[in-house]
Amino acid sequence: MKIDRRSFLSFLLGGAAGTALSPLPWKLTDDSSIWTQMWPWTPVPEDGEASYVNSSCTLCPGGCGITVRKIDDRAVKIEGMKRHPVNNGGLCSLGLSGLQLLYGPTRVKTPLKRVGKRGRGRWEKISWKDAVSEVAKTLGDLREKGQSHTVGFISGSDRGTVPRLFERFLTVYGSPNLIRTPSIIDSYELALHLMQGAQALPGFDFENANFILSFGSGIVDGWGSPVRMFRANSAWRDTGGKVIQIEPRLSNTAAKSDKWIPINPGTEAALALGIAHIIIKESLYDAEFINNYSEGFEDWKAFVLGEYGPDSVATITGIDSTTIIALARSFARASKPLAICGRGQGTTPGSLNECTAVHALNALVGNINKKGGVFAVAEPDYINWPEVEMDATAAAGMQKNRLDGAGSKKYPFSRYLLNRLPQAINSGKKYPLKALFVAGANPLYTMSDSKAVKKAFDKVPFIVSFSSYMDETAQNADLILPNHNYLERYEDIPTPAGMPQPVIGLSRPVVEPQFNTKHVGDVIILLAKAMGGTLSDAFAWDSYDACLKETMGYKWQVIIEKGFWSYPDFVAGPREESFDTVSGKFEFAPKETGSLKPFKPVKIEGDKTNYPLLLMPYDSIRLANGAMGDPPFVMKSVDDTVLKGTDVFIEINPKTAGEHGLREGQLAMLSTPVGQAKVKVHLFDGIMPGLVALPRGLGHTAYDEYLAGKGINVNELIGPVEDPVSGLDAAWGVRAKLAKA
Amino acid sequence: MSALDNNAKEIAGDAGSDGGATSSPEINTKEQDKGPAGPVILFFIVGLFASLILGWIIFPKLLYSKKKQPIDFNHVMHMAEVEDGCESCHFFREDGTYSGVPKLDQCIDCHEEIQGDSPDEIKFVEEYVSKGREVPWLVYSRQPDCVFFSHVAHVKVAGMDCVTCHGHIGESESLKIYEENRITGYSRDIWGKSIGGFKKNTWDRMKMDDCAECHRKMTANIERTGVKTPTKRLIDHLVDVVSPGTSMSEKGSSVQTERGACFVCHK
């Protein structure tokens, strides 16, 4: 029999018929459709037992309570904690995305020691034992040489047990150089200290206020405790509360406010005094408060009446005098007025004059330590550790002046002046910094004039980072001792920013540590024990957790169950006891502040001829700009008029753009006296002519591919400007020029 | 004569003329008249049977790989020890979610020490219990990732028996070989033992058609008897989603939505 073509075709035909009659094609179709639904990158929800853990978010100073949903051992969702005094169930986009920080690729997984040149990104893994003994040896050597004061510590906070452990360690070791990262809180603390004699945080009773005069504060852009502010802002919509937003740029807050008043940048203090002028002139102030509880009002009154007439203020601020008068009247006549300051998220301290002028407005309407007003909230005094014993070396070290000049003759009232540190190191006039520790901060990214900061860091021979993530500062460290992520550790969170009554939040482990990390508190205790002597004596605790439990005492059980400790019966003391100044009264014009001198705008860097424009940074709730960078989810929410691809947009008024011959989307070169960068032009009617604005929070070189290399870090373009009284960074912007690229 | 036959003739003619160089035209004509039918039909039948054998017998053997469970398990013996039937180990959690295959936590009470002398028991205690490792059970009834199935709705609300879908696994003394589909990675039990998809019992297959079969039957019953209709149930459900707390649901399992309804069924 011959197999010819016909036979073959017939065979195929038979095969086709048989295949169609067999389950093969149908089963393969079904299986391949299932196969296409199972790509390895398709996220599959965990299956298992659901549970919830109450904790606190520490990604910003807001201190929101969080409830984390878990499936078995995996955290799958972060939600706001119901009935928490700060956020009552709400949460911001950064807080919601926290799991990407926990499980994401930017974690430092084990202690790392630099190999090769600093910043090259070459590391070797070392054991915790070796890491701690290496630090102990370096610190021990410095101490032996009598150079204990050359050790510095930059911390994101100075409140709560963890920062207090840092402080305790430095004290017994012998260095005065604990430095907190700056914010508007610095200026407020100083204002409260000088005007009310209080060592306290500012607290604002937004929930009971109904007329908010905001000098550029980003109420819905992340100022204070962001979620609390969102809620307050929504509540004002319902209750008829008014928000007046004063700032040169139409921010989200300005757009959502009842009235937006554009002002010449940096002249807010003059406007505050101009408003005071009208209130005093028309006798709209709270005479009862002024007469009984204030000091220096007459001098201040004379000064304000003499210098700040509506016309001269109109010239300075660019706001017409009728608006100023109307504003003053509506503020003073409102039943619960409240004035606040701190630009954007309050990232920079700003000028002290501005803060005292705004605070004085609250005093004028008798709004101090009163429902709907400003409170001086002392830190809850639950940390009562035994006194430390200092040896001679420690005592000698603590006698040395601080490297940043805080508390010096020039700036006697300031507590921390991180902005002055790079210059102090670079000039080498005082003493060199031989070792630097960084915890809860990312100074190489957040400090202005990044180049100078980098130069200063390069001069420090030994840098240790406690960061959980490979951030810019960790990248440039010699040793990284990674802390547990915030969802893996215990920590107390005393009174979040702007709360009018004390609260202690508790951050607690939601999941087991995912990597070979250690609680920074434990590392400090281990370090102290390794160094022996008085240091070891001062840190008798077995572990940080034991220390925290012991510190909290009877509060521990409650805080574990509820997730926070509040003081529901907290009432501000009677007016007679509110002020701890020399006079025992509210000081309108403390002489230390030089507040009776005529307003002088902050002298920002750059001259007008070479740099005809003004550049100011702006803050957005969609861009984390502190020690933390945006996780991928939040990055996705950034508008493409802010960032497109890797290009950042600079906001510019169409009129100014026209003068420069720039069109929408065009590339331009932005130069300031500090640096230059390529930007894309975005025409925006909501910004004053002559002003350009860039967002904070971009231009990271560290973190993951979703964040790194996108846009530019505005801190590379702006330098710090020292406030003459506080020494804090008063810069709100910098002069700039824009040219076609 | 149909067009197809014409074509066939043409093809046959072509084939004949191709072969013309080697054989005489007479023989060729003869073959064309009666010869081709035999081999053509034979080849058709060979092809047909070969592919049928391939599809029905060889294909399933190639498609599934056989895997043994990490350790054996005797359901009968355990059923004798517990009081609550299947739910003693395959229980529902307080929030209504279903625990599925037991974890070590449930075994550890009895199996902290080795019970008896079976090699599987020794392996279980030594390899898993004492090391705190979960047993990587191969789950016969695991559905693809995208399938959302709520046990509580079927077992607690509709009062169905485990056997209806899972068969008499509770009466088995040892675990059968797990056949894994090489393409999808899921168990053969989902499609069913029969490659043709035929079934005798409700538990022979677990594809969507099998769900639909039962759902259709139930819907028809309900409509006939006028008991709670699916429409009514849907409306109840929507009321619960739109204004939580007004109808049947208690405090939900989500802190944020307070809606139990979503998480009971939409898992």
Side-chain angles (χ1 to χ4, degrees), chain A residues 639-681:
Chain A
D639 219 321
D640 67 358
T641 54
V642 174
L643 179 77
K644 197 161 196 177
T646 56
D647 291 324
V648 65
F649 283 92
I650 190 162
E651 288 182 357
I652 182 168
N653 191 287
K655 190 169 155 247
T656 317
E659 286 162 11
H660 285 72
L662 293 167
R663 292 186 320 276
E664 174 73 30
Q666 202 171 10
L667 272 174
M669 185 56 85
L670 174 71
S671 322
T672 73
V674 183
Q676 57 176 6
K678 225 177 223 176
V679 292
K680 265 189 173 172
V681 171

Side-chain angles (χ1 to χ4, degrees), chain A residues 1-19 21-28 30-32 34-35 37-38 42 44-45 47-50 52 67 69 71-72 77-83 89-91 96, chain B residues 11-15 32 35-37 39-52 54-56 59 63-64 93 95 97-98 103 144-146 148 181 183-186 191 195-197 207 251 253-258 263 267:
Chain A
M1 190 175 61
K2 209 166 90 322
I3 303 174
D4 56 13
R5 204 166 75 146
R6 279 168 52 181
S7 315
F8 181 68
L9 286 172
S10 167
F11 175 76
L12 287 189
L13 219 61
T19 307
L21 290 173
S22 84
L24 188 139
W26 326 114
K27 177 70 174 136
L28 274 184
D30 186 75
D31 283 353
S32 51
I34 295 173
W35 177 72
Q37 289 162 13
M38 303 200 311
T42 310
V44 180
D47 191 15
E49 184 168 9
Y52 294 89
T67 300
R69 180 176 152 88
I71 297 293
D72 289 343
K77 172 89 192 290
I78 304 179
E79 300 174 347
M81 196 199 296
K82 275 271 158 86
R83 286 173 288 279
L91 202 60
L96 284 166
Chain B
I11 292 167
D14 285 351
Q32 205 178 335
V40 166
I41 291 168
L42 183 68
F43 275 107
F44 180 83
I45 290 170
V46 169
L48 181 73
F49 277 94
S51 57
L52 284 175
L54 176 75
W56 286 93
F59 168 61
L63 183 63
Y64 296 109
R93 301 190 192 97
D95 63 354
T97 56
Y98 177 63
K103 296 246 165 95
D145 294 337
C146 50
F148 300 103
N181 187 315
I183 300 172
T184 65
Y186 291 101
W191 178 268
I195 193 76
K207 294 289 288 178
K251 190 174 178 291
S253 53
S254 164
V255 171
Q256 210 162 49
T257 60
E258 274 205 348
F263 289 104
K267 278 199 75 66

Side-chain angles (χ1 to χ4, degrees), chain A residues 672-724:
Chain A
T672 73
V674 183
Q676 57 176 6
K678 225 177 223 176
V679 292
K680 265 189 173 172
V681 171
H682 175 52
L683 304 184
F684 184 41
D685 284 312
I687 191 162
M688 289 177 98
L691 193 64
V692 289
L694 277 177
R696 277 205 189 90
L698 290 170
H700 275 278
T701 54
Y703 290 107
D704 52 24
E705 57 182 306
Y706 303 96
L707 182 60
K710 295 193 174 171
I712 54 166
N713 180 2
V714 73
N715 290 318
E716 287 170 11
L717 302 171
I718 295 181
V721 178
E722 262 174 55
D723 182 82

Side-chain angles (χ1 to χ4, degrees), chain A residues 304-345:
Chain A
V304 170
L305 287 181
E307 302 278 342
Y308 293 96
D311 292 329
S312 54
V313 172
T315 320
I316 300 171
T317 60
I319 302 168
D320 61 58
S321 50
T322 49
T323 309
I324 298 171
I325 295 167
L327 197 55
R329 286 178 186 157
S330 45
F331 177 74
R333 284 176 187 157
S335 59
K336 297 274 179 222
L338 180 58
I340 57 172
C341 68
R343 288 181 184 80
Q345 297 180 354

